Amino acid sequence: QIQLVESGGGSVQAGGSLRLSCVGSGDTYAMNCMGWFRQAPGKEREGIATIFMPDGMSYYADSVKGRFTISRDKSKNTVTLQMNSLGPEDTAVYRCAAASFCPSYELAGLRARGFDYWGRGTQVTVSS
């Protein structure tokens, strides 16, 4: 089992930045890939960034490309999401996820179905 805990959410004005972190514990040797997903009220869950832990290969949704950066620290079992140029459309609950089996097509597709372990989420609110 893997436990994931997110931190770093909060409220910010449009144009601002936030940095989310997700720390894994438990069977962390099985954390071969991680991802960030978000869900706004009344909207479907959206995959926004995924990363393959061994080599750092990452993928982004078009909605965040150029503004968000996902990175990992394998020694600390941590993945970070740096979010810049935030807008009201980025308001959502952000959750990190981890998986052991990580085919590239799943990571590139930002599909939640490929992830087995989930954090509880952290709220990000961006005001205009």
Side-chain angles (χ1 to χ4, degrees):
Q1 291 291 319
I2 296 171
Q3 293 79 43
L4 302 172
V5 178
E6 303 96 337
S7 62
S11 298
V12 65
Q13 290 190 329
S17 299
L18 283 173
R19 186 179 180 88
L20 305 183
S21 293
C22 175
V23 180
S25 61
D27 298 332
T28 56
Y29 62 87
M31 285 171 43
N32 286 321
C33 60
M34 299 185 74
W36 285 97
F37 298 79
R38 67 184 181 186
Q39 188 165 19
K43 294 188 177 181
E44 293 186 354
R45 180 170 52 191
E46 177 188 17
I48 56 175
T50 57
I51 190 165
F52 188 56
M53 297 297 277
D55 64 8
M57 176 68 74
S58 58
Y59 304 89
Y60 296 92
D62 289 342
S63 59
V64 306
K65 198 172 294 182
R67 300 188 298 124
F68 291 11
T69 302
I70 189 171
S71 59
R72 93 286 190 221
D73 185 334
K74 292 188 294 181
S75 66
K76 297 181 180 179
N77 301 312
T78 298
V79 65
T80 299
L81 186 69
Q82 177 67 42
M83 306 186 295
N84 299 327
S85 302
L86 286 163
E89 67 277 11
D90 296 313
T91 295
V93 174
Y94 286 69
R95 299 179 70 186
C96 72
S100 302
F101 180 59
C102 307
S104 58
Y105 62 87
E106 292 284 10
L107 293 184
L110 304 169
R111 298 184 180 93
R113 67 183 184 187
F115 289 85
D116 305 306
Y117 307 97
W118 291 82
R120 292 189 175 184
T122 185
Q123 176 70 44
V124 171
T125 302
V126 185
S127 58
S128 58

